[in-house]
Amino acid sequence: MNIPFLGHRHPKTGKAVLPTDPEGVADLLSECELLRSQAEQAGVRLDDSPSSLEALDQVLPRWRDDEEILPWLGNDAGFYLGTVIVRTVPGAVWDLRPAGPVVLLASGREFDVVASGHEWAANGVPELSQLYAEVAES
């Protein structure tokens, strides 16, 4: 996954240089502008809480017919899910990797929130609130 705003290219190697400030990374990943816009249009306020994931699961998925918006919304849904996990599950942190960000849990388990966001955006299952509940239990 290429997320250009998360880093810059090293001038000699051309490889991505990812930021190391955990709070800065968390702030960038929490923006989710497209998802927040879609949610707002549906009357849902995203406040980075587990209950907002439940509300998102109830939104009519008008985006599924739009091939252009679907991948972006999937990314945003994954970033938002990760944001809620990192902000509410003790010990959960973002881990930026060349293939894309994952959430690391205190137990050592890794959670690919972006893949989960894409599944949710395309199919509605598993529900974001269900994924959060599974992660919060571990």
Side-chain angles (χ1 to χ4, degrees), residues 1-135:
M1 172 178 22
N2 180 18
I3 308 174
F5 64 83
L6 286 180
H8 63 279
R9 299 267 174 215
H10 189 278
K12 291 184 180 177
T13 66
K15 293 185 179 184
V17 177
L18 299 174
T20 56
D21 170 30
E23 287 182 31
V25 169
D27 286 344
L28 283 172
L29 293 176
S30 71
E31 288 181 5
C32 315
E33 288 182 38
L34 180 59
L35 181 69
R36 289 181 188 277
S37 170
Q38 293 284 325
E40 185 178 315
Q41 289 174 15
V44 173
R45 183 175 168 265
L46 300 184
D47 60 1
D48 302 346
S49 70
S51 62
S52 67
L53 294 172
E54 292 174 18
L56 268 177
D57 289 335
Q58 303 305 312
V59 171
L60 185 62
R62 300 180 198 277
W63 58 81
R64 289 197 186 125
D65 296 329
D66 190 337
E67 294 289 323
E68 289 183 30
I69 203 172
L70 194 58
W72 295 101
L73 195 70
N75 282 342
D76 274 10
F79 294 156
Y80 187 71
L81 174 60
T83 294
V84 174
I85 292 169
V86 167
R87 291 188 175 167
T88 61
V89 175
V93 295
W94 284 107
D95 185 25
L96 295 181
R97 299 182 177 171
V102 298
V103 171
L104 296 179
L105 304 177
S107 66
R109 181 177 169 210
E110 297 177 4
F111 190 58
D112 186 347
V113 291
V114 175
S116 297
H118 281 275
E119 286 183 48
W120 176 82
N123 305 312
V125 289
E127 292 182 336
L128 297 175
S129 58
Q130 176 187 354
L131 292 166
Y132 174 83
E134 290 172 16
V135 169

